Amino acid sequence: MDATSGGGAYGPIPRKEDARFIRGQGTFVDDICLPGMLYGAVLRSPLAHARIVSVDAAAAAAHPKVMAVLTGEDLAERALAWMPTLSGDVQAVLATDKVRFQGQEVAFVVATDRYAARDALELIAVDYEPLPPLIDARTALDPGAPLVRDDLPGQNGNKVFDWAAGDREATDAAFSAADVVVSCDMVYPRSHPAPLETCGIVADMNPVSGKLTLWVTSQAPHAHRTLYAMVTGVPEHKIRIVSPDLGGGFGAKVPLYPGYLCAIVGSMVTGRPVKWMEDRSENLMSTAFARDYHMHGEIAATADGKILGLRARVLADHGAFNATAQPTRFPAGFFHIFTGSYDVPAAFCEVTGVFTNKAPGGVAYSCSFRVTEAVYLVERLTDMLARQLAIDPAELRMRNLLKPEQFPYTCATGWQYDSGDYPRALRLALDIAGYAELRREQAQRRARGEYMGIGLSFFTEGVGAGPRSQMDILGLAMADGADLRVHPTGKAVLGISVQTQGQGHETTFAQIVAHELGLSPDDVEVVHGDTDRTPFGLGTYGSRSTPVSGAAAVVAARKVRERARLVAAAMLEVAADDLEWLDGKWRVRGDPDQARGIAEIAMAAHSTLDLPDGVEAHLDASAVYTPPNLTYPFGAYICVTDVDPGTGEVKVRRFIAVDDCGVRINPMIVEGQVHRGIADGIGIALMQAIVFDESGNCLGGSFMDYLLPTSMECPSPELGATVTPSPHHPIGAKGIGESATVGSPAAVVNSVVDALAPFGVVHADMPLTPAAVWRAIQGRPIRPDLALS
Amino acid sequence: MQVPAQVEYEKATSVQHALALLARYGPEAKVLAGGHSLIPMMKLRLAQPEVLVDINGLTDLCFIDRVADELRIGTLTRHAQLLESELAGEHFAILHDAERVIADPIVRNWGTVGGSLCQADPSEDLSAAFAAMKGTMVIEGPGGSREVSARAFHTGPYETVVGPSELLTEIRLPIRPGHQRGGSAYLKVARRAGDWPVGAAGAAVWLTDGIVADVGIGLTAVGARHFVAAEAEEFLLGRPADEENLARAGEIAAEHCRPVTDQRGPADYKRHLVRELTARVLRAALSRAGGLAGRPS
Amino acid sequence: MKLTLTVNGTEYARTIEPRLLLIHFLRDELGLTGSHWGCDTSNCGACVVWLDETPVKSCTVLAAMTDGRRVTTVEGLARNGVLDPVQEGFSACHGLQCGFCTPGMMMTARWLLDRNPNPTAAEVREAISGQICRCTGYENIVRSVLWAAGNDGNDGNEGNDGNDGSDDDGRD
Ligand SMILES: Cc1cc2nc3c(=O)[nH]c(=O)nc-3n(C[C@H](O)[C@H](O)[C@H](O)COP(=O)(O)OP(=O)(O)OC[C@H]3O[C@@H](n4cnc5c(N)ncnc54)[C@H](O)[C@@H]3O)c2cc1C
Ligand code: FES
Ligand code: FES
């Protein structure tokens, strides 16, 4: 790769950020140690639903190492006992009236070390009056169900919202006209993204300057700054958020959590920096869960397998507070993209959100705002339809996939798919898999009593939120800024508003700028995560970094390049129109050796060179990018499993993934993202689930109970790529961060169900643990959202 | 942050010293071996001992030796050492089978064989393996040493016969004379690598002319008394080791265990696993012993 | 109680509470923040360091238990400023994303290669099976370790340029 020629900076180069991590020199929040720093710990409710009679913190306050204790009442005095959620609801910071889920925050202790803070929690006496908990979402709307949100004026049931998309009548008509209708109830169980680093903060309120500095696990530092300003009353310019190295996020670090606010108040009260780090059980029991969709899906088709319509009815468990993080106008996220990758003439879905006595959250696990649930629904239904019609599932998909010439395509629920060649991607996946041979092997094995499954899924996501006319979070439009400074020697610093959690922004964004300016990626330093040093923007989630912030970087770089053209024209004493950008330099048309590169131009721009009227000196530029549309990455996945019906054990033998995320800036990083998502899919399909017993005890509160896949369950993925550029993105890139998490669970489940076909199994809910598989074979399936009984 | 409560710490320098410390501090003291059960419990504050007696310095309790017709395993032997021991594997394949699926390689580096047995978790793998092998535990106390059968060692969940001022020092396994054809194996179903068992079975079988001369069947995580499938063993004794009898043994084992429903699986599934794994593990042990009756070996 | 131990070749003497976990001793007392903490139940392996010659989960060992012993952490992996091939392999093969699991993974990898210089992919997977990575799906970690196996013994200055470009945001 010739990194200095324009167009040459893309490619699989090693990451710049690795240098510090492989030496153990990353700086994660818990690595930050300030002089005089104190440690906070949260006391949490052991009960899912109870009235708080009293909180007695006197003994804890008397502990010699304790510097402060905060209760709900203390916060209420500062009007901070409640905070706004990202979905327009409120959430208790420290409970004052009731606790509404197990693990809810009740008190906060600030002590001189972690161990003492933990000890002091045991000295707080809370008198609870237990209330009947609402655990089964399916009973939330029953008359007489316990009322979770008696704090909300006018709320007299547990409904959060009703929401619908699509054309009900047209869809009903399509179903009436269909030869075949297949329907299924399926649960997408509650899961948790569980980044390896939990959430935490070091809050430092400087009483002299009035400046509040927060080192915090945040995927969206700028949006958080605005929120903290609104919540605490500290003026926004006096708040600096530093999101240092993050040990993964996957959505878990998008919301504001009560612990953050407690640490801030702790620092205000003590005048010293306060660190709070969640332990793992706090993380799993109280921070952003994901999914928890109870879905009824129906698919209608002709006898030869042409899909005519899709219908879905969803019950969405939102927990005790509606704290999902998604664009305001979409309470069910982008679930209504549930027609998936197929040409479906009519579709209609309705979603009802309910409160229950469970942790709040909802959109927080690489789900592209609920596209995950949508893809799972349509891909399961497609497989069931194939079974019903005795058409091979690959063939049925091929018959219904959108054709390349249909793009741009507006689907039945209104999404405008930007570009794609779906059949090509599916064909490539089938080739890599050796699909026909696999089917032959499957038949032979079945004859021997061995159960092998082949599962397909095809997904399309809409990522890169989002268009100003449609999308905002708490009134903030979803745009991102980029700030590019080119120093006199031609070295550049790019400030961005998004925040890496491992996706390699420091490398990819350097490549983007280098590519536009004919620099080497080594010449571009990327600054992110620090609100005092970077421009405003909404942050990294929903695979929006490259589609939105990446585009902002391109636009800023192109502004630099255009100014450089004027400066180069002055340097070469030619008209700007006589210059063309070629191989990373401005060159005189017809005399390409007469050329100036960015480094020379930068020096000239900072020098005393006489510049034409109206041309500013220096080469710095900034940009704000508001996407005109989402980008629509897609892919075809195939999962091969071996199932032992005697024990119910599932072994994922192979996983084939063909992804199309448009132009790949760093294919190595792209493939790494896909690898991760496949592991997610295997975990979610086979083992990850947050389950509650009837008292509301969270049964997934540790890594012993909330199982994450290890190296032994994850196969070596076989990847393929097609490239269909996005027509509206300045470099044709689409998002990739969530693709495989969105697309892979359906492939795994389809594979297991395929393996179990000889037993007459048509569907089994995730997670497909050995017990769940065995029970599915027995025809007595396990309900995955409640404790086993 | 889950961290242990305050505790005193004593480092034992010999078995006698350890016993003296235990005697001095009484029942509020706890032996600290690898700590891979005790420390997690202390972090969750499910265990709050007042004093820890660290026996990790007692390297003379870390051994795997053959003495006459016994394999002797010191209590402080790390899981990894047992897994790597050729001597243990040569005579007791079951131990390698089991160790390979206990926790993970890093936990196995530090967790000890004796600690596993003393922890007496109802899902402990080695408890079933040693029960199948009909081992003997050697316990040192203020009054000297005593021996207890592996099958009488556990008195209930998290309870053993080891008293508060006693120390398990070694486990002894009888090595049968070479003319008895024997084999052993261990099979475990877990939800994921490194997870505790949903159910597991270990078996050791000795054959004389295709007839079961002796058999041990250990079960864990399924509510089997003393980790043993005694009724299934009784059934097999003196019978031909054929498929039909193995299947029947599995059924008998399943009838007599008392699994409970938890998130690892519902009781009916666990009972089924007992049936399935018992038959399978007997088959595996027999194939190591030289084959099933009625089949070429 | 008084604790004396050697960490990465340097001897330290400190007075500690007996309940102090090794991971917190290393991070909070010695400022060696390369080893991480990720769970309450000894499942994740973010905290893996060597105790004498073997990797252990330092969240499940009391600092007191290391008295008189040697501890090696990720900060001790490079020798005299020369990266260990394992470190280079992780960079060369994109074996890390967020980098949180990486120190523990590398400590286990080095141990594996010392005992088994030419492991198969399956053996690498088995060795790291007690450690969770949420980012890589493990495949590139396996490739990284195999890369290191192929480059062990070289002085190894391929891959990463060895420049420490960390931006020390907020570090004291
Ligand atoms: C992540 C993880 C996964 C695990 N998975 C499994 C698994 O799948 N299967 C399985 O069987 N085990 C599993 N274990 C448990 C592990 O095998 C044992 O818990 C561990 O090795 C216990 O040994 P230890 O030396 O650490 O015991 P310790 O924790 O030191 O001690 C355990 C108990 O035994 C007592 N004790 C220890 N030694 C003696 C002695 N010599 N005399 C008297 N009392 C003594 C202690 O006082 C304590 O009460 C797992 C552990 C972890 C951390
Ligand atoms: S912190 Fe998770 S195993 Fe040590
Ligand atoms: S790289 Fe993030 S956890 Fe492994």
Side-chain angles (χ1 to χ4, degrees):
Chain A
M1 178 193 81
D2 178 3
T4 55
S5 67
Y10 295 172
I13 61 168
R15 302 193 320 164
K16 292 158 151 261
E17 40 270 87
D18 292 351
R20 62 179 185 274
F21 293 125
I22 58 173
R23 289 171 172 79
Q25 290 177 11
T27 303
F28 298 92
V29 169
D30 198 23
D31 300 344
I32 287 159
C33 185
L34 302 179
M37 191 172 77
L38 303 172
Y39 294 81
V42 176
L43 181 73
R44 293 177 181 276
S45 168
L47 301 174
H49 199 191
R51 195 159 302 287
I52 295 182
V53 179
S54 64
V55 180
D56 181 356
H63 187 289
K65 289 185 168 176
V66 168
M67 309 300 285
V69 183
L70 301 173
T71 64
E73 282 183 17
D74 299 325
L75 293 188
E77 282 170 22
R78 297 171 173 256
L80 279 176
W82 295 83
M83 64 177 190
T85 70
L86 295 177
S87 280
D89 191 4
V90 290
Q91 173 175 357
V93 179
L94 291 177
T96 46
D97 54 340
K98 289 203 306 192
V99 287
R100 293 177 169 83
F101 66 93
Q102 186 190 44
Q104 188 179 335
E105 299 78 2
V106 174
F108 188 73
V109 168
V110 182
T112 51
D113 68 71
R114 304 179 198 263
Y115 286 52
R118 171 69 183 81
D119 291 345
L121 294 182
E122 307 207 332
L123 301 176
I124 301 175
V126 185
D127 189 4
Y128 295 103
E129 178 191 316
L131 299 168
L134 172 56
I135 301 307
D136 183 352
R138 295 180 201 174
T139 66
L141 301 177
D142 290 355
L147 183 61
V148 178
R149 296 301 299 279
D150 48 348
D151 59 301
L152 292 176
Q155 175 85 28
N156 45 24
N158 292 310
K159 186 178 287 186
V160 187
F161 61 81
D162 274 321
W163 191 79
D167 185 333
R168 185 197 297 266
E169 285 74 34
T171 308
D172 289 349
F175 272 78
S176 312
D179 299 327
V180 48
V181 171
V182 173
S183 69
C184 184
D185 285 310
M186 48 186 113
V187 180
Y188 207 128
R190 180 175 277 239
S191 64
H192 193 286
L196 201 52
E197 179 204 34
T198 58
C199 297
I201 188 171
V202 177
D204 186 15
M205 181 78 208
N206 185 319
V208 179
S209 65
K211 182 130 186 174
L212 175 64
T213 306
L214 308 176
W215 288 265
V216 59
T217 47
S218 170
Q219 295 177 226
H222 291 277
H224 281 180
R225 186 189 61 207
T226 307
L227 270 172
Y228 284 118
M230 296 188 323
V231 175
T232 63
V234 177
E236 194 169 359
H237 67 298
K238 290 290 192 184
I239 301 177
R240 175 185 174 210
I241 297 195
V242 183
S243 185
D245 289 325
L246 295 187
F250 321 121
K253 293 167 182 172
V254 175
L256 284 200
Y257 294 122
Y260 299 159
L261 279 165
C262 289
I264 292 171
V265 177
S267 179
M268 289 173 168
V269 169
T270 59
R272 290 165 65 172
V274 173
K275 177 187 282 187
W276 168 70
M277 284 305 300
E278 283 175 334
D279 63 31
R280 182 55 66 184
S281 67
E282 297 183 277
N283 176 253
L284 292 172
M285 289 170 68
S286 72
T287 59
F289 78 90
R291 325 286 192 257
D292 216 343
Y293 260 32
H294 299 247
M295 308 189 280
H296 177 76
E298 295 169 275
I299 190 165
T302 62
D304 59 357
K306 170 77 189 87
I307 301 172
L308 299 175
L310 270 169
R311 230 171 6 206
R313 206 170 56 240
V314 178
L315 181 69
D317 187 340
H318 278 238
F321 306 100
N322 186 23
T324 63
Q326 67 218 341
T328 308
R329 265 171 264 177
F330 302 93
F334 300 167
F335 178 79
H336 56 303
I337 196 167
F338 76 121
T339 54
S341 314
Y342 308 112
D343 189 8
V344 181
F348 178 72
C349 65
E350 36 191 349
V351 182
T352 298
V354 294
F355 291 120
T356 58
N357 288 116
K358 299 178 190 170
V363 173
Y365 188 177
S366 304
C367 68
S368 300
F369 299 123
R370 304 248 191 229
V371 182
T372 320
E373 290 92 321
V375 165
Y376 180 72
L377 180 91
V378 67
E379 289 305 301
R380 279 272 50 238
L381 286 174
T382 304
D383 253 35
M384 293 168 75
L385 178 64
R387 175 93 67 91
Q388 173 90 16
L389 295 173
I391 300 174
D392 180 274
E395 171 57 26
L396 184 77
R397 284 180 171 80
M398 211 49 112
R399 285 184 201 171
N400 287 284
L401 284 176
L402 292 169
K403 311 255 176 320
E405 57 275 17
Q406 286 177 279
F407 290 89
Y409 170 83
T410 303
C411 79
T413 51
W415 298 95
Q416 291 171 313
Y417 294 24
D418 58 351
S419 64
D421 186 341
Y422 292 0
R424 178 168 62 141
L426 180 54
R427 274 194 302 273
L428 179 56
L430 295 171
D431 280 354
I432 296 174
Y435 186 71
E437 180 50 40
L438 281 176
R439 285 287 175 208
R440 271 194 293 278
E441 180 191 341
Q442 181 183 43
Q444 286 162 2
R445 283 183 187 272
R446 269 187 194 163
R448 293 201 299 269
E450 292 170 12
Y451 298 88
M452 156 188 174
I454 306 161
L456 282 76
S457 93
F458 200 107
F459 71 93
T460 301
E461 314 171 84
V463 303
R468 196 178 179 84
S469 59
Q470 299 161 37
M471 293 176 195
D472 70 276
I473 290 187
L474 290 184
L476 299 171
M478 302 185 75
D480 280 86
D483 204 342
L484 181 58
R485 285 179 288 145
V486 183
H487 297 328
T489 54
K491 309 292 177 187
V493 175
L494 175 74
I496 54 175
S497 54
V498 292
Q499 169 61 0
T500 180
Q501 311 124 49
Q503 299 94 330
H505 290 15
E506 287 167 42
T507 306
T508 303
F509 280 75
Q511 288 181 277
I512 290 175
V513 169
H515 189 86
E516 295 299 324
L517 296 183
L519 298 171
S520 157
D522 287 341
D523 294 338
V524 184
E525 186 81 359
V526 175
V527 178
H528 56 115
D530 182 343
T531 57
D532 273 7
R533 294 165 66 208
T534 56
F536 189 85
L538 277 218
T540 295
Y541 44 85
S543 302
R544 59 190 302 284
S545 286
T546 300
V548 188
S549 183
V554 174
V555 173
R558 287 181 182 170
K559 283 185 184 174
V560 166
R561 203 166 71 191
E562 279 315 302
R563 176 116 52 87
R565 175 187 209 156
L566 304 176
V567 177
M571 293 168 79
L572 293 164
E573 299 181 352
V574 298
D577 285 348
D578 288 339
L579 294 176
E580 59 182 343
W581 180 259
L582 207 69
D583 288 342
K585 291 187 175 184
W586 284 114
R587 297 175 195 274
V588 177
R589 280 180 218 277
D591 186 5
D593 290 344
Q594 282 268 67
R596 291 291 183 271
I598 289 294
E600 302 155 277
I601 300 171
M603 189 55 88
H606 286 81
S607 75
T608 57
L609 175 76
D610 205 11
L611 294 172
D613 279 354
V615 176
E616 276 182 66
H618 303 177
L619 281 186
D620 301 345
S622 59
V624 176
Y625 189 78
T626 303
N629 187 7
L630 301 177
T631 65
Y632 290 78
F634 58 91
Y637 292 173
I638 300 174
C639 176
V640 183
T641 56
D642 295 296
V643 179
D644 179 340
T647 60
E649 292 169 295
V650 174
K651 176 94 190 143
V652 177
R653 193 204 303 175
R654 292 176 67 194
F655 201 104
I656 295 96
V658 172
D659 276 274
D660 191 323
C661 59
V663 171
R664 296 182 169 207
I665 298 153
N666 187 323
M668 174 191 84
I669 288 179
V670 168
E671 292 189 356
Q673 297 295 301
V674 176
H675 287 170
R676 180 183 67 72
I678 292 170
D680 273 342
I682 289 168
I684 290 167
L686 300 185
M687 60 191 87
Q688 291 173 223
I690 302 277
V691 173
F692 296 82
D693 70 12
E694 58 191 13
S695 313
N697 295 309
C698 175
L699 303 181
S702 80
F703 279 173
M704 245 173 83
D705 304 308
Y706 183 63
L707 297 174
L708 299 168
T710 74
S711 52
M712 304 301 280
E713 289 78 36
C714 299
S716 179
E718 301 163 62
L719 304 189
T722 61
V723 175
T724 316
S726 168
H728 61 78
H729 186 276
I731 54 173
K734 301 181 176 184
I736 186 65
E738 300 163 303
S739 292
T741 310
V742 167
S744 58
V748 181
V749 175
N750 284 345
S751 182
V752 174
V753 173
D754 183 51
L756 300 181
F759 299 98
V761 175
V762 289
H763 175 72
D765 278 327
M766 305 182 281
L768 295 170
T769 60
V773 168
W774 182 77
R775 277 287 207 88
I777 294 171
Q778 309 308 308
R780 294 182 292 121
I782 280 173
R783 189 172 155 184
D785 58 322
L786 301 180
L788 290 178
S789 57
Chain B
M1 188 64 45
Q2 307 220 359
V3 295
Q6 296 278 10
V7 66
E8 305 268 307
Y9 174 86
E10 295 277 4
K11 195 167 171 175
T13 52
S14 67
V15 170
Q16 287 319 311
H17 184 216
L19 292 174
L21 288 168
L22 290 173
R24 169 155 22 119
Y25 290 109
E28 296 312 317
K30 275 257 175 216
V31 174
L32 176 64
H36 272 54
S37 289
L38 186 52
I39 293 172
M41 290 188 40
M42 289 172 65
K43 285 199 272 185
L44 299 170
R45 305 208 171 182
L46 296 172
Q48 296 205 20
E50 284 171 12
V51 186
L52 292 175
V53 176
D54 182 353
I55 61 167
N56 283 284
L58 311 187
T59 43
D60 51 341
L61 294 182
C62 183
F63 57 85
I64 301 169
D65 291 330
R66 179 173 185 167
V67 177
D69 53 0
E70 270 181 350
L71 184 77
R72 297 185 173 182
I73 303 169
T75 188
L76 208 59
T77 304
R78 313 281 169 188
H79 289 299
Q81 291 168 323
L82 186 54
L83 178 55
E84 276 160 26
S85 162
E86 283 181 22
L87 181 63
E90 180 194 333
H91 295 289
F92 303 101
I94 184 175
L95 294 180
H96 279 191
D97 287 356
E99 283 295 0
R100 212 169 280 124
V101 294
I102 290 176
D104 60 66
I106 309 301
V107 168
R108 293 199 295 260
N109 276 341
W110 204 239
T112 67
V113 171
S116 269
L117 296 169
C118 291
Q119 177 65 20
D121 188 298
S123 304
E124 210 83 46
D125 285 297
L126 283 186
S127 301
F130 284 118
M133 299 310 306
K134 303 185 180 171
T136 303
M137 315 303 200
V138 182
I139 299 166
E140 295 281 341
S145 98
R146 62 188 177 115
E147 294 189 8
V148 177
S149 146
R151 296 178 166 215
F153 184 74
H154 296 102
T155 49
Y158 307 100
E159 281 173 22
T160 69
V161 296
V162 182
S165 51
E166 289 184 317
L167 208 58
L168 172 69
T169 53
E170 71 180 74
I171 303 100
R172 296 181 181 168
L173 299 176
I175 297 174
R176 312 282 172 121
H179 63 264
Q180 272 198 11
R181 289 171 64 188
S184 66
Y186 192 80
L187 282 178
K188 165 170 169 173
V189 169
R191 295 171 299 174
R192 188 204 67 187
D195 189 22
W196 291 79
V198 181
V205 197
W206 292 268
L207 294 179
T208 313
D209 302 329
I211 301 294
V212 176
D214 196 3
V215 58
I217 303 173
L219 298 172
T220 193
V222 291
R225 280 189 68 221
H226 299 300
F227 297 93
V228 178
E231 297 80 2
E233 291 174 349
E234 220 165 277
F235 167 79
L236 279 177
L237 265 183
R239 286 198 157 79
D242 59 21
E243 278 293 349
E244 200 180 311
N245 285 330
L246 302 194
R248 184 75 196 114
E251 268 157 33
I252 295 172
E255 271 164 40
H256 286 89
C257 63
R258 284 184 196 78
V260 294
T261 293
D262 58 19
Q263 282 314 104
R264 293 200 164 79
D268 63 340
Y269 167 69
K270 291 184 181 178
R271 199 178 287 282
H272 162 78
L273 263 192
V274 171
R275 183 181 309 120
E276 188 75 26
L277 290 183
T278 300
R280 287 190 191 188
V281 80
L282 283 166
R283 210 174 291 139
L286 280 164
S287 96
R288 283 178 178 156
L292 286 172
R295 276 203 194 169
S297 56
Chain C
M1 65 171 282
K2 232 172 125 49
L3 167 68
T4 307
L5 81 169
T6 303
V7 181
N8 301 330
T10 306
E11 192 175 292
Y12 295 89
R14 290 283 191 283
T15 303
I16 57 158
E17 285 187 347
R19 62 168 164 166
L20 183 64
L21 299 170
L22 178 58
I23 182 67
H24 290 138
F25 175 77
L26 294 170
R27 291 178 51 83
D28 295 347
E29 294 286 325
L30 303 188
L32 293 171
T33 55
S35 308
H36 299 136
W37 170 93
C39 73
D40 312 322
T41 46
S42 316
N43 292 100
C44 79
C47 61
V48 169
V49 303
W50 287 16
L51 186 47
D52 295 330
E53 303 306 324
T54 45
V56 296
K57 295 184 173 178
S58 65
C59 67
T60 316
V61 172
L62 299 177
M65 295 162 79
T66 66
D67 189 49
R69 293 180 184 261
R70 275 174 301 120
V71 170
T72 310
T73 70
V74 63
E75 288 92 343
L77 211 45
R79 301 274 153 100
N80 306 319
V82 180
L83 291 180
D84 190 287
V86 165
Q87 292 171 295
E88 293 191 69
F90 270 71
S91 182
C93 301
H94 192 29
L96 66 150
Q97 292 186 23
C98 76
F100 205 75
C101 70
T102 315
M105 290 288 183
M106 293 194 304
M107 295 312 288
T108 298
R110 181 70 267 155
W111 171 70
L112 170 71
L113 296 181
D114 284 352
R115 294 154 40 104
N116 179 1
N118 284 304
T120 62
E123 286 166 335
V124 176
R125 283 183 181 274
E126 158 73 17
I128 60 168
S129 63
Q131 290 163 256
I132 301 289
C133 175
R134 296 293 293 142
C135 299
T136 64
Y138 306 101
E139 173 65 12
N140 284 349
I141 294 181
V142 175
R143 291 183 196 170
S144 301
V145 179
L146 295 177
W147 187 99
N151 287 268
D152 249 352
N154 303 349
D155 266 357
N157 30 28
E158 291 156 59
N160 194 277
D161 64 1
N163 128 59
D164 173 12
S166 73
D167 53 348
D168 264 1
D169 278 356
R171 216 212 260 263
D172 180 14

